[in-house]
Amino acid sequence: MSKFVVEDVNARTRLKVTCSFHPSDRPTDDRRVVAMHHGILHSRDHFVGLIRELNARGIHVLMIDQQSEYSSWRNFIGLGTYEKGLAAAVRQFERRFPDHRIEAYVLHSMGAAIGERMQEKRANANLRRPMVLLAPIPVQGAVGIFVRLATSRPVSLLRAICTLSVASLVQDKQHVRKIFFDRNVEKKKVDACLRHLRHSPFGAYLQLTLRYFLRYLIPQKHNGHPALILTSRTDYIFRQDKHVNEYRETEMFYRQGHVRTDGQPWLETRTMAGGHDFFFAHPDKAARRIANFLAKLGFQVIEDERTSRFRRIDPPDQAIPPHRLPGDSADVRVHDGEQEEDAA
């Protein structure tokens, strides 16, 4: 990964908003850029591996980081504050680098909800782009994990509500690893997430949890662009197994089973091992899936000996029976054969 400079973003919010441009050092004249945003427990440092793998494939990355550690009344910071920071960072980048253009977003967990809401605003209509959603918050919110925590850790959940602190929900490293990762993730990354958990805004967490009810007051709007949803079958937070699929409504919202006028599907879905933060343990595989999607958008993706050590032949894409509408056909939904191998 090439050297980068962290710049402050004048977003005029209570959050500390910064961004860093990570151009690829591969021989390419492509000026397309992906803008990346982290989830509620993360920062720029947690995405270094994924950025490095994307750079190796010739993809330029703008990393946007918003932190509340030193914010006043941080527990009352909501998603609207993050939306303003994301929009401000994108606009600042395009002013600073007029020869580059952000052509897609890569958004993780809470970052996906932030990106979705930001693009819904009429004032941000010119910022709507295709999206890669990494373990996003489902459109019905995080009610499922709320119920699971209520039954498995009722005292901790009650303490979190009374103290307005997300940190009360997960207080030890073992529980952090169980909820967010798999056994392959380095200890230092688990420790870093635990530190960020202690200053995560409770207001934003509450909005994510109650999204199912809030969307009836403010209906969610599609941004009019294709999307890729990357999830993990071993995700403890949002279940997706043979019994429960908490992403079913999200897939329907993103027009699963329909194609655009250019013949490309509105939605592609892929799964891999690694838990909610699968890109920590498997940044190479996550980057390859992202790169494959970006290539369909016109990005110049490089796959050569520098990235071949991570390449495997994916199974053929298997189509879902389409929702029959005039001119529609199936989208792409694949469960990678690698998962069982990774989980072994």
Side-chain angles (χ1 to χ4, degrees), residues 15-32:
L15 294 167
K16 173 67 173 177
V17 186
T18 61
C19 66
S20 54
F21 183 35
H22 306 259
S24 172
D25 60 359
R26 304 307 303 274
T28 175
D29 58 358
D30 197 354
R31 292 295 180 264
R32 298 175 181 88

Side-chain angles (χ1 to χ4, degrees), residues 178-189:
K178 174 184 177 182
I179 292 179
F180 295 99
F181 307 107
D182 67 6
R183 65 180 182 274
N184 298 316
V185 174
E186 301 172 17
K187 177 179 176 295
K188 64 180 182 180
K189 292 184 178 179

